[in-house]
Amino acid sequence: NGHVMFDEVTAPHDTTLTTEPSPFVLRPPTVQDGGAMWRVARDSQTLDLNSSYAYLLWARDFAATSVVAERDGAVVGFVSGYVRPDSPETLMVWQVAVDADQRGHGLAGRMLDHLAEHVPGVTMLETTITDDNAASRALFARFARIRDAQHEETDLFVKAHFPDEGHDPEVLHRIGPF
């Protein structure tokens, strides 16, 4: 349904100091991760699933604006994004997904934070979310709140834009500057 799915609103990542290291490694994807990104998206049963070829290309061409989360050597989550060509300060987040058995660790928020901190020149974030995706709306609202950034919502793609039946409208969430 929506283009964004994340781990859990009820488990915000902890900002207190801890001596226990995170079990997750966040890094840019490689072509070798494309298949795992496709699997994570497929298994989410929420995201619009694209071809495995699309995820391979994404991992190759947009690695600098995307991130994978790895645990024990396996990809367990990802955020795919790109810098908008006509707005180079804006990171467009396309998909966010975390394996079901890895949810509850605030991983989606950590991956968004990682991109906000590591993509040079980005001060704005955009994503689209369907109205029925409360978890994703909460994730991005929290992202804005933590940064004390504006968060605007406007209709971007209405039902009439989609050539196929059954796709819900996508609401643009624009966050920033941060």
Side-chain angles (χ1 to χ4, degrees):
N1 286 335
H3 285 278
V4 181
M5 189 220 108
F6 87 114
D7 55 351
E8 277 186 46
V9 163
T10 57
H13 53 277
D14 194 350
T15 56
T16 59
L17 294 176
T18 179
T19 56
E20 198 170 311
S22 171
F24 302 104
V25 173
L26 304 182
R27 61 174 176 74
T30 65
V31 169
Q32 290 73 25
D33 298 318
M37 293 167 68
W38 176 85
R39 180 200 52 79
V40 172
R42 179 200 66 201
D43 292 353
S44 76
Q45 298 181 343
T46 303
L47 295 176
D48 290 341
L49 184 63
N50 299 281
S51 72
S52 57
Y53 177 69
Y55 292 92
L56 292 169
L57 282 176
W58 203 277
R60 185 191 77 162
D61 293 344
F62 298 104
T65 54
S66 299
V67 63
V68 294
E70 189 178 276
R71 184 173 191 169
D72 299 326
V75 172
V76 297
F78 72 90
V79 175
S80 56
Y82 62 89
V83 172
R84 292 200 44 222
D86 62 345
S87 183
E89 74 285 352
T90 302
L91 176 68
M92 175 63 187
V93 172
W94 178 44
Q95 289 187 317
V96 177
V98 174
D99 276 341
D101 64 349
Q102 300 302 312
R103 296 178 191 162
H105 300 285
L107 189 51
R110 290 180 193 182
M111 289 188 292
L112 286 177
D113 291 343
H114 180 85
L115 288 177
E117 294 165 10
H118 289 90
V119 178
V122 167
T123 60
M124 302 292 291
L125 183 141
E126 289 184 349
T127 194
T128 63
I129 307 172
T130 56
D131 281 338
D132 64 346
N133 194 334
S136 290
R137 289 195 331 269
L139 170 69
F140 285 94
R142 184 177 186 283
F143 179 88
R145 190 172 53 256
I146 287 171
R147 286 160 181 75
D148 197 26
Q150 290 183 290
H151 183 178
E152 300 172 359
E153 297 179 33
T154 56
D155 291 336
L156 183 63
F157 301 123
V158 298
K159 276 191 183 271
H161 286 124
F162 294 98
D164 53 337
E165 289 294 319
H167 200 296
D168 292 334
E170 294 278 350
V171 176
L172 177 68
H173 291 248
R174 185 164 168 79
I175 299 168
F178 52 84

